[in-house]
Every structure is written in structure tokens, then in C-alpha cells.
Amino acid sequence: MKVALIGTGLMGRPMGERVLAAGYHLTVFNRSREKAEPLRSSGAEIAATAAEAIGSAECVLLMLADGVAIREVLFDENPKPDLGQRTVIQMGTISPTESIGFHKEVLERGGDYLEAPVLGSIPEASAGKLLIMVGASKPQFDKWSTLLECFGSEPLLIGEVGKAAAVKLALNQLIASLTVGFASSLGLVQSLGIEAGLFMKILRQSALYAPIFDKKLQLMLDRDYGIGNFPSKHLFKDVALFSAAAQTVNLETIGIEAIHRLLEITLEKGYADGDYSALFEAVSPAEG
Ligand code: NAP
């Protein structure tokens, strides 16, 4: 089967490697062409435009930053992609409303659409260990599960389009909330001159512990967030999407809006591309 992958950024590139390793014929497109080039040596063809990549395949995987990028790629008029008889599988993190809208527009253009956002980052993408949430009909799920198994062994059907997008936002809200909670506690302990190791020893034995704390501890202690596997700018986007989705069902969003503001400060401090644990700089600034 011929597959196209559009978006070969941090996640798209290792996902492309997985598709090739499974034996599919793969054509890739990335707006910045140099990020697609490494996949050529693994056997991918590189398309000059998104429309060319879409036209080459029966199934089009999208691993793009956001809804704006998806709109540019799928519905650009110059050149206009032929979506007829093709299935689009949207795998980035977007809102349920955006995903439902794309579903409708792809159907209007004669194509098919399902969503399959993922939990996990670059190491999990490389190892085929992503957690895949699928928003689709049962026949769509049955048809495309084998392809999705390139990325994770057990894709889960959540419900119709929009439902998997909502679960993904619910999970990413937890990433942000847990990180802010941990950064606040670590910041207080450090500021009072209490050894972080002692604090962690108690935390690890308690019901409060989450593995993400140890994953982020050293980055926060070193105040060195590097080039993130999951950059702050994407978590900032996801928290805004969660907040908007939560408002549609009348949830109180005071807490998540405060976290959104902390992420905005993180970006203002220059950590847009750094690991999201740079939230520590907003919560407990070095200068403070
Ligand atoms: P990334 O490295 O920033 O890649 C984003 C991709 O979108 C790049 O291919 C980029 O092209 C493209 N893009 C952005 N704006 C565009 C536009 N206007 N037109 C065309 N292409 C555009 O992001 P990523 O980490 O791979 O994440 C991709 C998606 O998966 C995001 O929705 C993210 O939230 C989600 N996600 C990420 C992770 C993670 O750990 N990183 C985990 C799960 C889900 P250029 O290269 O030209 O900029």
C-alpha cells in the first residue's frame, strides 16, 4: 500500500522510519524540505508539494503542528490536493472541534478521515511504543489498525471523530498540571534550603508520586531544558485547546488558565523550543 506522511518534524521523522521498516511505500513532504531528507536514505520518496505527496498515496498520515498547518496542507488551492478516494489519518494534537471540522471538509472533497492522536514522545515513536487513541467508525478502525500498529502495538478505538482528540487533550492537561504542581513544590523546598533529595525520598514513597517527577527533576535542578522532545510551545497550544474544549462543557477553567499563563511566561523567557519542564523558570525563576 502507498502511504504519504506530511510533517517530518520531531515526531513525524521517527514515525516515517517505522512506516518504512514495516515495508510500506512511503512518500513524505515537509514544509522545510531539509527535515524530510533523512528519510530518503531509509527509502522514502520526497515530494515537492503536499499536493504531490497526497496524490501519490491511498492513505495520508498527518503529523503537523496544529490546525493552521493542517488547513494549509489539505486545503491549499495552489496546487489543490486531490483528496478523492484517499483516507486522511490526522495524528497531531488538535481540538475536537477542529478535527470534526476537518472530517466534514475531507468528506466533502470525496475523501475519508479519521483521527489517531498519540501519547508518548520521540523515544516511544522510534520504538513503536506510542499510545494511539483512535477517533473513527469501527470499519475505519478495522481497516487502518494494521498501519497504526507501526506506531504502537495496541491502537484503541475511543469513539467517533473528536472523542480521541478530547482524550488526548485530557492527557496533556495532566502533563501541564503535574509539571506545574511539581515545579511549585520543588521551588519552595529549594528556596528554603531543604535538600531536594530528601523531598524526593518522601515523595517517591507516597501516593502523590508520578513518574514524570523523576523524569523532569534533573532538568529542573540543572535549569537546562535543552531542545525538548516535547517543546513548551506545543504544550502551550495544547493547554489552550483544553481550556477551549472545557469551556464548551461548562468546566471551571480558572486553574488551567493560570497554567496557560505560566506557559506563556515560559515562552516569553525564551524556552519555546525547550523541554516543557522549563515551566520551572516561570514558577520558580532563577533570579527570584
Ligand atoms: P514539530 O517538530 O514542531 O513539527 C511540526 C510540523 O508541522 C513540522 O513538519 C512543520 O514544518 C509543520 N508545520 C508547522 N506549521 C506549518 C504550516 N503552517 N504549514 C505546513 N507545515 C507546518 O512538532 P512535533 O513534536 O513533531 O509534533 C507534531 C504534532 O504532534 C503536534 O501537534 C504536537 O503537539 C503533537 N505531539 C508531539 C509530541 C512530542 O513529544 N513532540 C508527542 C505527541 C504529540 P516545518 O518543519 O517546516 O516547520
Side-chain angles (χ1 to χ4, degrees):
M1 189 207 302
K2 291 187 170 181
V3 175
L5 168 66
I6 305 188
T8 58
L10 292 171
M11 292 292 283
R13 181 177 160 189
M15 289 169 71
E17 299 283 1
R18 299 286 311 175
V19 174
L20 289 164
Y24 292 95
H25 182 281
L26 182 68
T27 303
V28 297
F29 171 77
N30 196 69
R31 181 181 59 174
S32 313
R33 192 183 168 103
E34 69 278 5
K35 289 193 205 162
E37 283 298 335
L39 283 164
R40 191 197 293 278
S41 54
S42 304
E45 284 183 28
I46 310 233
T49 62
E52 184 187 319
I54 291 168
S56 75
E58 183 185 336
C59 174
V60 181
L61 301 168
L62 301 181
M63 199 53 184
L64 293 159
D66 53 20
V68 173
I70 294 170
R71 175 154 299 288
E72 272 188 34
V73 158
L74 287 185
F75 306 115
D76 195 3
E77 294 291 324
N78 188 25
K80 187 175 177 174
D82 176 9
L83 296 172
Q85 311 297 316
R86 303 182 207 290
T87 297
V88 174
I89 306 184
Q90 193 304 109
M91 302 194 72
T93 308
I94 61 174
S95 74
T97 309
E98 285 173 314
S99 195
I100 290 166
F102 291 137
H103 182 201
K104 185 167 172 283
E105 286 183 72
V106 171
L107 289 185
E108 283 166 3
R109 297 227 182 170
D112 202 5
Y113 175 99
L114 55 148
E115 62 187 13
V118 298
L119 188 68
S121 195
I122 299 172
E124 291 79 17
S126 301
K129 290 190 173 167
L130 292 169
L131 301 175
I132 307 165
M133 296 146 269
V134 185
S137 66
K138 183 71 169 68
Q140 285 177 315
F141 179 75
D142 291 341
K143 181 170 180 186
W144 296 108
S145 283
T146 308
L147 175 59
L148 292 173
E149 282 165 15
C150 291
F151 311 120
S153 60
E154 200 187 348
L156 279 181
L157 179 59
I158 306 291
E160 72 265 32
V161 168
K163 293 285 197 293
V167 170
K168 171 60 182 162
L169 291 184
L171 291 163
N172 277 28
Q173 183 282 132
L174 279 175
I175 296 177
S177 292
L178 286 170
T179 306
V180 167
F182 181 62
S184 303
S185 295
L186 184 66
L188 179 72
V189 166
Q190 272 197 320
S191 301
L192 296 176
I194 299 161
E195 204 199 316
L198 272 177
F199 166 66
M200 290 305 297
K201 189 170 178 182
I202 299 164
L203 181 58
R204 285 186 196 112
Q205 293 176 64
S206 77
L208 302 171
Y209 180 71
I212 192 174
F213 299 157
D214 264 311
K215 273 182 123 174
K216 300 304 170 189
L217 173 66
Q218 201 57 48
L219 300 178
M220 292 183 188
L221 290 177
D222 295 345
R223 294 188 180 274
D224 182 359
Y225 311 99
I227 300 293
N229 282 350
F230 181 32
S232 305
K233 65 183 178 193
H234 287 329
L235 191 57
F236 177 66
K237 159 193 63 101
D238 297 347
V239 165
L241 295 177
F242 177 90
S243 184
Q247 281 167 21
T248 66
V249 291
N250 294 324
L251 293 188
E252 179 51 71
T253 55
I254 295 171
I256 199 67
E257 278 159 22
I259 291 172
H260 188 249
R261 176 66 190 127
L262 287 168
L263 277 158
E264 188 174 41
I265 294 169
T266 308
L267 266 52
E268 285 164 5
K269 285 174 173 265
Y271 296 103
D273 292 315
D275 185 87
Y276 65 84
S277 54
L279 266 166
F280 192 51
E281 297 305 316
V283 171
S284 178
E287 62 270 22

